Amino acid sequence: REEGVCAMALRRRSGGGRLSTGSVGKGSEASATPERALGGSAKPPAKRRSVGSSGGSPAPAAAVVPREEALNKLEQTFHTLERTEQGQSANLQDCARAVAADQLMRHPARDVRLWSAKCMAEILRIFAPAGPPIESERIKLVLQNFLDQLALLSDPSGNGYKHAFGLLERLTEIRGFNLLWECSEPQEMIVAIVNTCLLAARSGSEAGTLSAEGQHAQSRLEGTLAQLLLGVLAEADEIPKQALSQLVDELMPRRRESAAVGLVRRLLGGLAQRSAALPINDYLNTCLFSEVDVESTREDHDGEPRQSGLSPERLEALLCAVYELYAIEPALVARVLPNLHNDLQSVNPNRRRAVTGLVSQMLAYCHQAGTAEPSSSSSHPLLAATHPLLVDRLKERLGDADDSVRNTALEGTAAILQAAAKLLDAEERPELSSSSALVTAAKTLRDKLSERCLDPNDAIRLRSVEVVAEVASSSVGGLELMLPVLPTMCKRVLDKKPRVREACAEAAAHLYAKHALRAWMDGQYQAAQTLSWIPQLLCEAYSVFSAGRLGHVSQLEEYIEQHVLGCGAVLKESKRALVLLGFYHSASQDKDAARGLALLLGRKRDANAALRQYLKLRMAKEAPLVDVSAAGAGALVPSQPAAPSEQAMGIEALEQFGRCSPTLEDKNARPETLMVHLRALDAVRDKALWKQLDRLTDPCITDATDDLVDLLKELDRLLRVHRLGELAPLIRRSLLSTWLLPDQVPALLNLWNGTWPSGMEDEGDEELLEAPVPELAAAARHMVADLPRYFPGAFLAHVQDVAKHLSDSPREDARAALRALAAIGKRAPALMEGSSLPATLDPAPLFDMLLSALGVACEDVASRGSACRKALKVVALLPSEEAQAAMAAKLLKWAEDNAGVDLATAKDPDAAQALDANAAALHLAAAVLEWQAMRQDSSRPLKREPWAQEARTVLEHGHNVEELQQIRCAAAELLAAAGSEDDIADVLLAPAPASDALPIAASPAVPEEEGAAELEKSAWQWFDPLPAHAAISAVRALRRGSVPLSTKLLARLADRLCASLAPNRPTYEAEQLLQ
């Protein structure tokens, strides 16, 4: 029976259809009949296509079995063996020996050897676990044949790939390669198996980009190969060094893109807790440290470190492999870490740099983040927790003497900070776990990193700023982590190197846009305050750059508009108003920043006025204002030359507009280049461009916020069409509409009133159910009071709503409303250019409202005159000139009724209130007279002489009487408004007697035992403020042109100014004069 089975296996032929070499499976059975199996007649089989190339070790020529006959016999044998269950091997000994014969195992045809390998795999399954009846010296031949056929896996498009994959799965299932332990040299066979599996795994990368199905097949192949190798290497007492070298080489950078990397990670992850950890540690230590000369750690006589025997390329590759092994399983490099710790202080800077980069990457790696291999445990403690000394050594490298080492440590610190930020962003924040060690290490490195902003190398300063900004911008956790050092790092916006300044400004703006912009849009005042220093920093830098002509002014304006104000985003009017409120409020909290903000807004207002003046002339002429010098024979359209005066006005307007360009605020700026672009703008005859500019630069623009983005896009398109992109910074500065529009003002007024804007209430946010915080309302009040100086057109339509606060009980509201309305009234007539105002004040309640506001504002003695002048500017918002004149007359009548008081009773305590009322009346009368003089309205002349006589009477009395000095200052303003040239020169600016200009002198020393109160009481002597105030009033009279300029007046004024600026006078007098 045994001979019959063997003969059937070797001589049986296929009847009917023949299987192709590409389809092998248990469901594909060849139909065989007894007649054909016994050698009956049959149709000659068709010629087969060879599988692969004929390689290997072919048998001698005399013993070669014909290919077709061998394939038919092996196919029949394979299908018979495939149907045979394990353990039924009683009659298959001869079959096994026949399949293992040299005639088949070493056949010249590759497909014959493939089918013989498949048959042998089935024989191994059937004979398991006892093993096949094959001589021990032939086992190596069988295994070598297996490896030869598995090499077909390296060609996924080959004919034998499916057969080889089936063979691989069968050998993995039955652990067929465990036969190698019967060989005399199993180590060589292990190396061959590892090499073959790596070649097969690399086929995925060589095939290029795979489809989803191809990726699944590659993953299946990788898993099967890993299972096969794991079964072999786990049984080995010692993994051959050559095999370890092959596996580690796959993790190096030159093989990093290979598909075999995944196989190696799977394999080493499975072997880490078995037999691979110790040999891999020894192998790495040998490669990294035994290849280094002992002398490389010493120094030559000249102090320079000797070169290592390990090349830099080899060192970098090995360290990359160490990192990959640590990511797979920390135990694989546990014995390498102490040596790396020592190498962080190596005298060789190249080695120190390379090890610094490796250690920082290992410290940043988090197995909990889901990047570890499936075989590795998710509970691995982080390296910062197990080796805290590495953190200290890395911290030292941030201050290394070598620039390359510091830069590498900087990059590594960036990775650690990013990893710590991700941990802080996790829902379950680490407290007692090993993750807290990484956060602590990140904070330690963060504090050391802040010192690098003062590094002597500007490249490292630049990179340190970029690192801090990148981490802070990445997430909320990153911002929380970096917030303690962010202000210090971004202060390098004032660095001496231009690229560091620009990087700091850009980083701060992007950081604000990432975190604070959304908070302001949602009205979250407290959350937005964490980054309130960014607008302050940008405005302070703006002031410094502009005053010092350091450049970057146009970039700062762009950053502020795009990232701080969100001008490029599509926002509702209420959110735009909140964003502007956040920027203004933040910048106003710092003195230097407030100066820069005022400078920025003033430059924007002046540029808008200059462009409006130029547009007025250009659109009126409908032709270029400046003649093109090249026009002539080549001109397509003849044009009449402009009149000399008209062209001079055009050139002056164009140059005035050009002087407002932010690009000129640079020491290296070339004005002639800017004028070339301005002449190109003037030569444009596209009416669409001029209409678009006129529409967007109109201070009283009526377009809504929703339309602004489309209007700006169209303007940008027109500028690009006409190649005027170089003028973008100048035109950006000239646009007031990008900052504030009329439909955004109601949102600010609502916040001032303590309610949310209507658009935000509709969103249904729970946080908006409560009223805005008082700080937000106060910020809105301050902003509404100040911004009409720069955006009067936006507030012009809302004057009635602002005027409601004139009679409010809160004193700050009344002062803010008076200030805002005065700014609007001062600029509204010029904005409207003779046309009617879009909104006016109601004359009926205005008189009482102004008196109420003046009663509050005049409580501040120093600002009484200014408050009265503001009240007269509000009068300009009445609907007609008659109503304005009538209101001025009523105010003057009130001043007349309250003026006049007995100066002899000045020192009476009960007369203090009457003196204050009299002083306020004189200030108000002076303001009305100044207002009438500026209007030059002769139809309603006001009587000036009685007021001038009243002023002279007050000034003649009360010398050196402290209680009368405020009313005397009011009389000085009144005399400057109502008096003549002689009054100002002989009375107001008369040479002051010595008693009028008492110096400020320290009083005699007071003993300490008399107490601090007595010391404070007698600290300084009183001085007369009238001389300085009189000089200011005279200057104001000259400025408005109410008195003619004369030599006598100038001489008297110069003497008074010099006396007021003397060293023994208080400094605030000089500040008032300069203002």
Side-chain angles (χ1 to χ4, degrees), residues 108-178:
R110 183 65 176 268
D111 44 5
V112 173
R113 299 196 303 274
L114 173 61
W115 279 97
S116 66
K118 295 178 64 175
C119 291
M120 182 55 64
E122 296 297 330
I123 290 173
L124 294 179
R125 177 184 61 83
I126 295 171
F127 280 88
I134 303 174
E135 298 82 356
S136 58
E137 59 270 12
R138 302 196 62 81
I139 291 179
K140 183 176 181 180
L141 177 63
V142 172
L143 296 179
Q144 187 61 49
N145 189 35
F146 284 157
L147 295 178
D148 291 342
Q149 308 319 312
L150 291 181
L152 294 172
L153 295 172
S154 60
D155 184 12
S157 61
N159 297 329
Y161 182 82
K162 292 184 178 179
H163 296 278
F165 194 88
L167 176 62
L168 172 66
E169 290 182 325
R170 179 63 76 188
L171 291 174
T172 303
E173 176 187 355
I174 65 176
R175 295 179 178 267
F177 278 104
N178 283 349

Side-chain angles (χ1 to χ4, degrees), residues 348-372:
N348 188 340
N350 292 328
R351 190 175 184 88
R352 200 164 65 243
R353 176 191 54 78
V355 175
T356 298
L358 169 65
V359 170
S360 59
Q361 291 181 12
M362 294 171 66
L363 286 170
Y365 187 82
C366 298
H367 291 87
Q368 290 88 342
T371 56

Side-chain angles (χ1 to χ4, degrees), residues 769-1044:
L769 298 178
E770 301 179 358
V773 295
E775 295 83 358
L776 201 59
R781 177 181 64 233
H782 187 200
M783 181 175 171
V784 172
D786 188 47
L787 285 192
R789 292 191 299 163
Y790 310 102
F791 307 95
F795 290 89
L796 195 56
H798 307 281
V799 291
Q800 193 64 44
D801 295 329
V802 177
K804 295 178 182 178
H805 293 278
L806 287 173
S807 56
D808 282 355
S809 54
R811 303 178 185 275
E812 294 80 5
D813 289 357
R815 291 192 180 98
L818 181 62
R819 183 182 173 189
L821 292 173
I824 300 172
K826 178 180 179 181
R827 297 165 178 84
L831 291 176
M832 302 311 299
E833 296 179 352
S835 59
S836 61
L837 298 175
T840 57
L841 295 177
D842 187 3
L846 182 60
F847 178 74
D848 294 333
M849 295 168 69
L850 286 176
L851 290 182
S852 176
L854 285 175
V856 173
C858 289
E859 292 178 358
D860 185 4
V861 176
S863 62
R864 282 177 179 172
S866 176
C868 293
R869 287 189 293 273
K870 286 182 173 61
L872 267 296
K873 293 174 183 176
V874 176
V875 174
L877 297 175
L878 291 173
S880 63
E881 294 185 359
E882 290 77 10
Q884 297 173 10
M887 183 61 64
K890 292 178 67 176
L891 291 174
L892 189 62
K893 180 65 170 61
W894 181 90
E896 183 179 354
D897 295 340
N898 289 271
V901 67
D902 188 4
L903 301 180
T905 62
K907 294 187 177 182
D908 188 355
D910 298 334
Q913 186 175 0
L915 289 175
D916 289 341
N918 191 10
L922 294 182
H923 279 299
L924 183 58
V928 173
L929 294 176
E930 287 182 7
W931 178 81
Q932 194 247 1
M934 294 177 64
R935 285 169 55 91
Q936 298 178 356
D937 185 7
S938 58
S939 60
R940 291 173 177 257
L942 299 177
K943 297 180 180 180
R944 297 177 175 273
E945 182 56 31
W947 289 107
Q949 182 59 39
E950 177 72 17
R952 285 192 291 269
T953 302
V954 174
L955 290 174
E956 290 174 356
H957 297 81
H959 291 288
N960 297 331
V961 180
E962 183 177 359
E963 289 77 9
L964 293 178
Q965 295 316 305
Q966 298 304 325
I967 194 171
R968 295 182 75 233
C969 291
E973 288 190 10
L974 181 59
L975 185 61
S980 62
E981 177 187 357
D982 294 334
D983 290 331
I984 296 177
D986 297 334
V987 179
L988 197 60
L989 298 179
S995 59
D996 284 352
L998 291 176
I1000 300 178
S1003 62
V1006 179
E1008 296 183 359
E1009 56 270 12
E1010 295 186 9
E1014 186 66 23
L1015 181 65
E1016 181 180 357
K1017 179 179 179 181
S1018 59
W1020 302 100
Q1021 294 180 357
W1022 173 81
F1023 68 93
D1024 190 359
L1026 180 62
H1029 196 81
I1032 295 174
S1033 301
V1035 170
R1036 188 181 299 113
L1038 289 174
R1039 186 175 60 183
R1040 66 173 178 267
S1042 59
V1043 293

Side-chain angles (χ1 to χ4, degrees), residues 695-830:
R695 183 177 182 181
L696 284 172
T697 58
D698 186 2
C700 301
I701 183 174
T702 58
D703 292 283
T705 303
D706 296 337
D707 303 329
L708 181 62
V709 176
D710 295 334
L711 294 175
L712 293 176
K713 288 181 179 179
E714 177 63 17
L715 177 60
D716 182 67
R717 186 191 68 82
L718 291 172
L719 292 177
R720 284 187 283 106
V721 167
H722 297 287
R723 299 179 181 180
L724 299 173
E726 297 295 332
L727 295 178
L730 176 56
I731 295 177
R732 183 191 302 113
R733 173 179 279 189
S734 307
L735 298 180
L736 299 178
S737 55
T738 56
W739 283 55
L740 188 64
L741 287 175
D743 63 345
Q744 301 169 14
V745 175
L748 299 175
L749 296 176
N750 288 337
L751 291 172
W752 185 1
N753 295 328
T755 60
W756 291 109
S758 58
M760 296 184 65
E761 293 177 349
D762 297 339
E763 296 178 1
D765 192 348
E766 295 181 358
E767 297 183 0
L768 299 180
L769 298 178
E770 301 179 358
V773 295
E775 295 83 358
L776 201 59
R781 177 181 64 233
H782 187 200
M783 181 175 171
V784 172
D786 188 47
L787 285 192
R789 292 191 299 163
Y790 310 102
F791 307 95
F795 290 89
L796 195 56
H798 307 281
V799 291
Q800 193 64 44
D801 295 329
V802 177
K804 295 178 182 178
H805 293 278
L806 287 173
S807 56
D808 282 355
S809 54
R811 303 178 185 275
E812 294 80 5
D813 289 357
R815 291 192 180 98
L818 181 62
R819 183 182 173 189
L821 292 173
I824 300 172
K826 178 180 179 181
R827 297 165 178 84

